Coordinates of all heavy atoms in Angstrom, one line a residue:
V1246 N 105.7 90.6 79.7 CA 106.4 91.5 80.7 C 107.7 91.9 80.1 O 108.5 91.0 79.6 CB 106.5 90.7 82.0 CG1 107.4 91.5 83.0 CG2 105.1 90.5 82.6
G1261 N 100.1 99.0 105.4 CA 99.4 98.9 104.1 C 100.1 99.8 103.1 O 100.5 100.9 103.5
R1263 N 99.5 101.2 99.1 CA 98.7 101.4 98.0 C 99.5 101.7 96.7 O 100.3 102.6 96.7 CB 97.7 102.5 98.2 CG 96.7 102.8 97.1 CD 95.4 102.2 97.4 NE 94.4 102.6 96.4 CZ 93.6 101.8 96.0 NH1 93.5 100.5 96.4 NH2 92.7 102.2 95.1
D1266 N 100.1 103.9 90.7 CA 100.8 104.4 89.5 C 102.0 103.5 89.1 O 103.1 104.0 88.8 CB 101.3 105.9 89.7 CG 100.2 106.8 90.0 OD1 99.2 106.7 89.3 OD2 100.3 107.7 90.8
S1279 N 103.0 86.6 105.6 CA 101.9 86.8 104.7 C 101.5 88.2 104.5 O 102.1 89.1 105.2 CB 100.6 86.1 105.4 OG 100.3 86.7 106.6
E1291 N 94.4 86.5 100.8 CA 95.6 86.4 101.6 C 96.7 85.7 100.8 O 96.4 84.6 100.2 CB 95.3 85.6 102.9 CG 96.5 85.6 103.8 CD 96.2 85.0 105.2 OE1 95.2 84.2 105.3 OE2 97.0 85.3 106.1
L1292 N 97.8 86.2 100.8 CA 99.0 85.6 100.2 C 99.9 85.1 101.3 O 100.1 85.8 102.3 CB 99.8 86.6 99.3 CG 98.9 87.3 98.3 CD1 99.8 88.4 97.6 CD2 98.4 86.3 97.2
T1294 N 103.6 82.5 102.4 CA 104.9 82.2 102.0 C 104.9 81.2 100.8 O 104.1 80.2 100.8 CB 105.7 81.5 103.1 OG1 105.8 82.4 104.2 CG2 107.1 81.1 102.7
V1297 N 103.1 83.7 94.6 CA 103.5 84.7 93.6 C 102.3 85.1 92.9 O 101.5 84.3 92.4 CB 104.6 84.1 92.7 CG1 104.9 85.1 91.6 CG2 105.8 83.6 93.4
G1303 N 98.6 98.5 85.1 CA 97.6 99.5 85.5 C 96.6 99.0 86.6 O 95.7 99.7 87.0
L1308 N 98.7 96.2 99.1 CA 99.3 95.1 99.9 C 99.2 95.5 101.4 O 99.6 96.7 101.7 CB 100.7 94.8 99.6 CG 101.0 94.2 98.2 CD1 102.5 94.1 97.9 CD2 100.4 92.8 98.0
S1310 N 98.6 94.3 105.9 CA 98.6 93.3 106.9 C 97.3 92.6 107.1 O 97.2 91.5 107.6 CB 99.1 93.9 108.2 OG 98.3 95.0 108.6
P1312 N 92.8 93.1 105.6 CA 91.8 94.0 104.8 C 91.3 95.1 105.8 O 91.2 94.9 107.0 CB 90.7 93.0 104.5 CG 91.3 91.6 104.6 CD 92.4 91.7 105.6
V1314 N 92.8 97.9 106.5 CA 93.9 98.7 107.1 C 94.0 99.9 106.2 O 93.9 99.9 105.0 CB 95.2 97.9 107.1 CG1 96.4 98.8 107.4 CG2 95.1 96.8 108.1
A1322 N 109.8 107.3 95.2 CA 111.1 107.8 95.4 C 111.9 106.9 96.4 O 113.1 106.6 96.2 CB 111.1 109.2 95.8
G1323 N 111.2 106.6 97.5 CA 111.9 105.7 98.5 C 112.2 104.4 98.0 O 113.2 103.8 98.3
A1327 N 115.8 102.5 97.6 CA 116.1 101.2 98.2 C 116.6 100.3 97.1 O 117.6 99.5 97.3 CB 114.8 100.6 98.7
R1328 N 116.1 100.4 95.9 CA 116.6 99.6 94.8 C 118.1 99.9 94.5 O 118.9 99.0 94.3 CB 115.8 99.8 93.5 CG 114.5 99.0 93.5 CD 113.9 99.0 92.1 NE 113.7 100.4 91.5 CZ 112.7 101.1 91.8 NH1 111.7 100.7 92.6 NH2 112.5 102.3 91.3
R1332 N 118.9 98.1 99.4 CA 118.4 98.1 100.8 C 116.9 97.7 100.7 O 116.3 97.5 99.7 CB 118.5 99.5 101.4 CG 120.0 99.8 101.7 CD 120.1 101.2 102.2 NE 119.3 101.5 103.4 CZ 119.1 102.7 103.8 NH1 119.5 103.8 103.2 NH2 118.3 102.9 104.9
R1335 N 110.8 99.5 104.3 CA 110.1 98.9 105.5 C 108.8 99.7 105.7 O 108.7 100.8 105.5 CB 111.0 99.1 106.7 CG 112.3 98.2 106.5 CD 113.1 98.3 107.8 NE 114.2 97.3 107.7 CZ 115.5 97.7 107.7 NH1 115.8 98.9 107.7 NH2 116.4 96.7 107.6
S1336 N 107.8 98.9 106.3 CA 106.5 99.5 106.6 C 106.1 98.9 107.9 O 106.4 97.8 108.3 CB 105.5 99.2 105.6 OG 105.7 99.9 104.4
G1337 N 105.2 99.6 108.6 CA 104.6 99.1 109.9 C 105.5 99.2 111.1 O 106.5 100.0 111.1
G1342 N 115.2 92.0 115.3 CA 115.9 90.9 114.5 C 116.9 91.5 113.5 O 117.1 92.8 113.5
G1344 N 118.8 93.1 110.5 CA 118.4 94.1 109.5 C 117.6 95.2 110.0 O 117.3 96.1 109.2

Side-chain angles (χ1 to χ4, degrees):
V1246 173
R1263 179 100 173 140
D1266 297 321
S1279 65
E1291 186 176 21
L1292 305 175
T1294 302
V1297 176
L1308 292 174
S1310 56
V1314 168
R1328 279 192 306 277
R1332 294 174 53 198
R1335 295 187 173 114
S1336 290

